[in-house]
Amino acid sequence: MSADRIAPAPVGVRCVRQASAPDPLRVLLLHGLCSGADVWDAFVPLADPRCEIWAAELPWRGTGIKGWTTRPVEEWVDKAVAAVPGGPDVLVAHSFGTNCALTWLDRDATGTGGSSAAGARPLRGVVLVSPLYRAVPEDFDWETIAYYFNNFDRILVAGMQARLGRRLAEEHQQAIALKVRDFMGPYGWLRFFDTYLRMPAVRTERLEMPFLVVGGASDRVAFPSDAEALARTLPDASVRILPHTEHFPMVSSAKSFAEVTNAFLHDLPA
């Protein structure tokens, strides 16, 4: 088979920055739907120097890797975690990635997600950025479904603009978003919303490691109320809502995001 016909690996993980000191804090970054590891590029050089940073390319990246929706999302997270030597100390997840991380963590309460990776160790902390969360099934109604169904193309545009670091021309936004939406397909949207719907079933009260929940005050994809509701359900969580910030705080407010994240990382217990 020629090289250009080899299917990409569903999950890829690489070290994007070495630590400046021995005994580093290993941090694994998980991106959201239709995004990619490069969405963290502005944050990586601003992260605490003692962090060794790993970034995952997950199968819901870009237009999606064919077949990713046929397997539970937590299996893909498990593969990413297993690819970090010794396992990560901290997970940092964004948007749909937060749902996948929570679902993975719910497999047990040790902070390893039930990972079978050799030498896997419990997490020391978790950062959830722009999380999509509802605490009880009654928080989901038909209006919620209609909002995310009818605005899916706008969500995709926001993701593309964040990755490009600039706004797309208005005349191109809709055409590009619809093309990406069609690549993602109904199964991609259904997996996204099904994972969101599963959030009330996540046993957050069992997740005892420290959490930082970061939201954007102007986010119209994952509303600040979702971040606040999630933080209330976790035993050890702080929440920061960044002003004048939309769905990608690590891009649009990289300095502020790095400050609150680094403060959290610095205070983690050994």
Side-chain angles (χ1 to χ4, degrees):
M1 181 180 291
S2 62
D4 60 348
R5 296 184 63 186
I6 296 175
V11 176
V13 176
R14 63 188 179 92
C15 182
V16 294
R17 202 199 69 181
Q18 297 288 345
S20 62
D23 192 24
L25 189 72
R26 293 197 189 104
V27 177
L28 175 61
L29 307 174
L30 307 176
H31 63 76
L33 189 69
C34 299
S35 188
D38 56 357
V39 78
W40 302 102
D41 284 356
F43 164 67
V44 170
L46 301 176
D48 190 315
R50 70 190 179 110
C51 292
E52 177 183 287
I53 302 180
W54 295 73
E57 289 282 5
L58 297 157
W60 46 82
R61 63 188 180 268
T63 55
I65 301 299
K66 186 176 180 180
W68 75 267
T69 60
T70 63
R71 298 177 64 177
V73 294
E74 57 268 30
E75 290 189 15
W76 300 120
V77 175
D78 196 56
K79 287 183 177 294
V81 170
V84 178
D89 298 295
V90 178
L91 280 186
V92 181
H94 175 249
S95 190
F96 177 65
T98 69
N99 303 117
C100 302
L102 285 168
T103 304
W104 177 77
L105 284 167
D106 190 43
R107 301 205 308 193
D108 66 36
T110 68
T112 64
S115 176
S116 59
R121 54 192 176 188
L123 292 171
R124 291 171 57 184
V126 180
V127 181
L128 300 178
V129 188
S130 305
L132 293 136
Y133 183 80
R134 305 292 170 99
V136 295
E138 291 74 22
D139 287 341
F140 289 101
D141 53 23
W142 291 110
E143 185 178 348
T144 304
I145 296 174
Y147 180 85
Y148 284 99
F149 181 78
N150 294 325
N151 290 285
F152 193 48
D153 55 338
R154 297 182 188 179
I155 295 171
L156 300 181
V157 167
M160 288 185 291
Q161 291 181 155
R163 295 186 71 186
L164 292 171
R166 58 181 172 82
R167 293 192 65 81
L168 296 169
E170 292 289 337
E171 61 269 23
H172 299 317
Q173 284 187 16
Q174 187 67 9
I176 295 173
L178 292 178
K179 185 171 290 187
V180 175
R181 183 200 66 182
D182 291 344
F183 271 114
M184 184 63 61
Y187 284 93
W189 186 87
L190 286 170
R191 177 61 79 188
F192 153 73
F193 202 74
D194 172 68
T195 308
Y196 192 8
L197 285 170
R198 291 165 61 189
M199 290 301 97
V202 173
R203 296 162 291 182
T204 50
E205 72 280 0
R206 301 168 68 243
L207 306 180
E208 297 182 348
M209 69 286 291
F211 279 79
L212 171 65
V213 184
V214 182
S218 302
D219 194 342
R220 292 297 176 265
V221 177
F223 295 94
S225 57
D226 282 33
E228 291 164 344
L230 173 57
R232 285 194 295 270
T233 70
L234 292 161
D236 182 3
S238 57
V239 60
R240 296 295 299 270
I241 305 299
L242 302 182
H244 316 298
T245 301
E246 297 183 355
H247 191 55
F248 291 83
M250 63 287 203
V251 177
S252 62
S253 301
K255 184 176 179 181
S256 297
F257 173 75
E259 286 174 354
V260 298
T261 301
N262 287 341
F264 171 78
L265 297 175
H266 184 268
D267 292 340
L268 287 178

